[in-house]
Amino acid sequence: MNRKAVLPRIVSLAAVLLALTAWWIVTANGWVKPLFLPSPPDVWRAFTDMVTSGYKGSPLALHIWDSMYRLGAAFALALLTAVPLGILSGSNKWVQAALYPFIEFYRPLPPLAYYTVLVLWLGIEDASKIMLLFLAAFAPLYIAVVSGVKRVPSDRINGARSLGASKWKIYVHIILPSCLPEIFIGIRTAVGVAYTTLAAAEMVAAVTGIGWMVLDASKFLRSDIVFAGIIMMGLIAILIDIAIRSLERKIVPWSGKE
């Protein structure tokens, strides 16, 4: 690993250590009440207690699994629908004209604005939560795919047509590979938006999940559990993003080199 790649990581690590040190100094000197800012040892004890004893009768692994299941199921649905519809919309103005009004209508709406409607339609179980996360992930992924298709050079498509390629082969061998970099940008954005919506999805009639755990702990002023849950959510988000970027490097090695 060369020096240019190592130095930014050293700076990032130093910044994290500096923030942790400042956190420890502030709490150790009592400058902020523990209710508002628990100390790092208190947060660590809360985390270890949840690992060993769980939270509200459920193991910590179950809370994480339920949250990841809701997120994964919603994103899988978004991937299966947004990518093909985005490719069709990017290459067919009539399909885009039919879908865009609906996407542009709900995309800026706060998730909780229509979550109550989803609960009325789908109930209070996981179906309404998954649908909420699906809608949160669908719009940014769809828009990224449409943008990627429109940026495919027409010379590639015309060249394939001149060689006798069918429409199906053009979609599979020309358009899809060409817009993969934009698709992965959309994937990272969509996962981020859906992940931030996860806490809102677990606010209503949930008894498991990291988001529910944080919200429930806040009702009892357990700021140590709240901070432990927030840190866990942040670390899980980082791991998800690292996994997506690693997959992108394997599938789209030419990204950024064209």
Side-chain angles (χ1 to χ4, degrees):
M1 188 178 296
N2 58 40
R3 185 179 179 182
K4 291 183 178 180
V6 173
L7 286 177
R9 297 186 180 183
I10 294 176
V11 172
S12 297
L13 180 60
V16 172
L17 293 175
L18 181 63
L20 290 175
T21 302
W23 179 14
W24 181 81
I25 292 173
V26 169
T27 54
N29 288 279
W31 295 342
V32 179
K33 292 183 178 180
L35 176 63
F36 303 109
L37 184 64
S39 66
D42 289 341
V43 174
W44 177 252
R45 279 193 294 269
F47 172 73
T48 55
D49 288 344
M50 287 188 291
V51 171
T52 56
S53 305
Y55 182 78
K56 291 295 181 72
S58 298
L60 179 61
L62 178 63
H63 290 291
I64 296 175
W65 167 258
D66 284 353
S67 291
M68 293 303 101
Y69 164 73
R70 292 160 185 156
L71 180 67
F75 181 72
L77 289 174
L79 196 64
L80 290 173
T81 54
V83 172
L85 287 175
I87 291 176
L88 285 175
S89 298
S91 55
N92 189 312
K93 62 181 181 180
W94 303 113
V95 176
Q96 182 179 358
L99 293 177
Y100 243 60
F102 302 100
I103 293 172
E104 288 301 311
F105 171 76
Y106 91 83
R107 183 175 63 86
L109 294 177
L112 290 180
Y114 53 85
Y115 188 28
T116 52
V117 177
L118 295 177
V119 171
L120 289 175
W121 289 350
L122 302 174
I124 60 176
E125 300 298 330
D126 280 348
S128 59
K129 298 172 179 58
I130 291 172
M131 181 56 66
L132 179 69
L133 299 180
F134 162 75
L135 291 173
F138 180 87
L141 182 54
Y142 170 84
I143 292 172
V145 176
V146 172
S147 176
V149 172
K150 290 183 178 296
R151 293 181 62 181
V152 176
S154 58
D155 293 343
R156 295 181 187 176
I157 299 175
N158 294 332
R161 285 174 180 167
S162 66
L163 293 174
S166 63
K167 286 186 177 180
W168 173 252
K169 288 185 177 179
I170 290 175
Y171 278 121
V172 173
H173 299 290
I174 302 297
I175 295 178
L176 180 60
S178 297
C179 63
L180 274 177
E182 283 78 8
I183 289 177
F184 270 96
I185 292 174
I187 287 174
R188 292 179 64 187
T189 305
V191 170
V193 173
Y195 195 75
T196 56
T197 311
L198 185 62
E202 293 177 343
M203 283 178 64
V204 179
V207 292
T208 58
I210 308 176
W212 170 83
M213 185 177 67
V214 170
L215 292 167
D216 185 75
S218 67
K219 298 175 184 178
F220 301 96
L221 302 179
R222 289 296 308 272
S223 56
D224 52 346
I225 296 178
V226 171
F227 271 72
I230 291 173
I231 292 172
M232 278 191 291
M233 292 181 72
L235 292 176
I236 291 172
I238 291 173
L239 292 176
I240 292 173
D241 191 65
I242 289 174
I244 294 173
R245 284 187 290 172
S246 299
L247 185 64
E248 180 182 8
R249 285 193 293 268
K250 292 180 179 179
I251 296 178
V252 197
W254 65 86
S255 180
K257 301 177 182 178
E258 294 180 306

